[in-house]
Amino acid sequence: MISFDKYEFKTIRLTKLKDNKFDNNHPNGINEGYVKEGIIDVEKSNEHQCFLIIKDNRFFNTSQVVELDEQEDYDLAHTVNSIYRVVIVSEYVV
């Protein structure tokens, strides 16, 4: 089981690097190069095993994360459908 706890109280940026399912023709336009930045809902992400990002009262989620490779300055999230680069942009105080 993947833990998203390390992203709590942080703004993250997801960049889609690879589309493994839709031949880079995603029905919602989430193709290679797509970038989403926002605050992760850690509780829901842990529950559903995906990145659930909130920004401006809008939600974005990836497919289920099956592997999280930690690199020095970023992580690689391998989902059922894609590969995303995950960067911590900033921390925030509640």
Side-chain angles (χ1 to χ4, degrees):
M1 189 166 215
I2 307 280
S3 172
F4 296 86
D5 293 348
K6 71 185 260 180
Y7 303 111
E8 190 165 27
F9 305 120
K10 295 177 175 57
T11 299
I12 64 169
R13 180 183 307 120
L14 295 176
T15 304
K16 188 170 186 173
L17 302 178
K18 179 86 173 123
D19 181 329
N20 297 322
K21 182 173 183 181
F22 299 104
D23 197 29
N24 206 31
N25 192 21
H26 191 281
N28 294 326
I30 315 292
N31 297 312
E32 293 173 8
Y34 180 86
V35 177
K36 189 64 168 184
E37 191 172 300
I39 298 166
I40 185 170
D41 183 325
V42 173
E43 181 180 342
K44 293 290 185 189
S45 293
N46 281 330
E47 179 182 347
H48 297 285
Q49 291 293 282
C50 68
F51 279 95
L52 182 84
I53 305 293
I54 305 163
K55 183 167 185 178
D56 299 328
N57 291 321
R58 297 191 56 139
F59 296 91
F60 169 80
N61 66 281
T62 65
S63 56
Q64 180 183 2
V65 177
V66 294
E67 184 180 353
L68 194 59
D69 291 330
E70 295 182 353
Q71 307 294 316
E72 189 171 328
D73 295 326
Y74 63 93
D75 295 337
L76 286 177
H78 299 264
T79 72
V80 169
N81 299 329
S82 309
I83 300 173
Y84 287 89
R85 179 183 178 124
V86 185
V87 176
I88 296 172
V89 176
S90 63
E91 295 189 30
Y92 64 95
V93 180
V94 264

